[in-house]
Amino acid sequence: MKKVFTFLMTATALLLISSGVMAQDGETPFVGSTHNYTVEPESTSNSLTWSIVESTGYIINSQTIDGDNSVANITWTTAGSYKLQFTELDGTTNCATIKELEITVSENTFDVTAVAPAATCNAADGMVNYAGTDVTTEVSFVVDMKTDDAAFNPNWEFSFTLISSSGATVANVSAGSGTLSESGGTYTLTDLTSTSGAGSVTITMDATGELYSAEDVILTFTSAKELTYNTPDVDSDDWTATQSINPIPQTSDISTD
C-alpha cells in the first residue's frame, strides 16, 4: 500500500510540474531563468539523481533534500527541447525508478528599457525676476518592461545610477510604485508589478544647476530582472536615458534713465 501511495504522490508531483500553461514556468522556461523541480521519492535514503538527457544548454545548480522531497535547481541557458530525468535507486535491491519530464526552453523576451524624455526648460522658465544663480528643476524618467508572453506577469526590479555630466546635483529621488532603496550611489527599485506581460514606472528627482547653463541628468541601468524565476533582461539595449535641461536666456535687469 505504501508503494502505491508513494507512486501516486510522485505522479502528482510531476503532474503539477507538467500542467503548465503557455506562460513561463518550469515546463516552458525562458533562457536565463532558474526553476525548481521536485519529486517525492519512496525513501530519501535511496540513491536520488537528477539528470538531463541532453549534454548542454543548462546548469544544474543544486540537488537537495527538502523534507521528504528531492529538489533540483536548474538554470536554462539555451533555447531548445530537453528531457529532465529523476532516478531513484533502491540500495538494497538495486532496482531503479526513472521519471521524465519534457522541458521546452524559449528565447528570453523579458526586456526593460529607459525612455529618454524630451528636453525641457529649467524651472525658472517664464518666472518674473527670478532671484538666484542656481535653479532646481524636477525631472522624470519612464521605465518600461515588456515580454512577448502576455500570460506571464511577474514582479520585476532594476538597479540604476544617476549622474550629471554638466555638474548638476541630483536629489530627492522617488518612484511612482515599487520599493526604492539606495546604496553607494546605486538605486534599486523592486517589487514592481506587471499586467498582460508589461509594466511601467516613473522615477522622479530634483536636479539643481546653474541658472544660465545647460544641465543634464543621465540614468543608466546596472541590472534588470524579473523576480519569479530571476530571468535577466534579454539585452542591455536602451539602458541609458538622458534628460536635457535647457537654460533660460541670460537677460539683464531692466534699467532706466
Side-chain angles (χ1 to χ4, degrees):
M1 179 61 70
K2 181 180 185 299
K3 288 183 178 292
V4 174
F5 176 76
T6 302
F7 173 79
L8 290 174
M9 289 296 292
T10 302
T12 300
L14 287 174
L15 180 61
L16 290 173
I17 294 174
S18 62
S19 61
V21 294
M22 291 303 293
Q24 177 182 197
D25 58 15
E27 189 177 0
T28 56
F30 284 171
V31 168
S33 63
T34 300
H35 298 257
N36 287 324
Y37 300 86
T38 304
V39 161
E40 183 181 357
E42 178 174 292
S43 173
T44 56
S45 297
N46 286 334
S47 175
L48 311 175
T49 305
W50 290 91
S51 61
I52 299 174
V53 173
E54 293 72 22
S55 59
T56 60
Y58 54 87
I59 301 171
I60 300 179
N61 302 304
S62 62
Q63 303 178 53
T64 59
I65 300 299
D66 182 10
D68 293 330
N69 297 324
S70 176
V71 181
N73 180 266
I74 301 173
T75 299
W76 301 98
T77 60
T78 306
S81 297
Y82 300 86
K83 290 181 173 63
L84 172 64
Q85 293 185 342
F86 173 80
T87 301
E88 180 175 1
L89 178 66
D90 189 307
T92 301
T93 65
N94 210 35
C95 297
T97 295
I98 300 177
K99 297 296 182 179
E100 183 176 277
L101 178 67
E102 292 189 358
I103 308 292
T104 302
V105 182
S106 302
E107 293 293 349
N108 183 11
T109 62
F110 175 78
D111 194 19
V112 179
T113 60
V115 180
T120 186
C121 298
N122 68 34
D125 177 42
M127 295 182 65
V128 177
N129 293 339
Y130 181 86
T133 58
D134 293 335
V135 60
T136 298
T137 304
E138 184 180 272
V139 297
S140 297
F141 293 90
V142 176
V143 176
D144 291 329
M145 182 281 286
K146 69 176 183 64
T147 170
D148 291 346
D149 187 348
F152 181 50
N153 299 305
N155 284 5
W156 53 292
E157 74 171 32
F158 60 94
S159 296
F160 61 96
T161 59
L162 294 167
I163 64 170
S164 172
S165 62
S166 62
T169 300
V170 179
N172 301 325
V173 181
S174 63
S177 60
T179 301
L180 182 67
S181 61
E182 185 271 336
S183 177
T186 297
Y187 298 84
T188 297
L189 185 56
T190 191
D191 294 327
L192 297 166
T193 59
S194 59
T195 304
S196 300
S200 184
V201 63
T202 299
I203 302 170
T204 304
M205 68 216 66
D206 291 333
T208 301
E210 295 181 359
L211 180 63
Y212 300 122
S213 298
E215 305 289 355
D216 61 29
V217 178
I218 304 168
L219 180 148
T220 302
F221 292 158
T222 58
S223 66
K225 65 179 181 179
E226 59 85 16
L227 298 176
T228 306
Y229 305 115
N230 291 318
T231 311
D233 194 320
V234 64
D235 54 38
S236 56
D237 293 346
D238 302 317
W239 270 28
T240 299
T242 300
Q243 171 68 75
S244 298
I245 305 171
N246 294 324
I248 62 172
Q250 189 170 357
T251 308
S252 73
D253 292 339
I254 298 173
S255 62
T256 185
D257 56 13

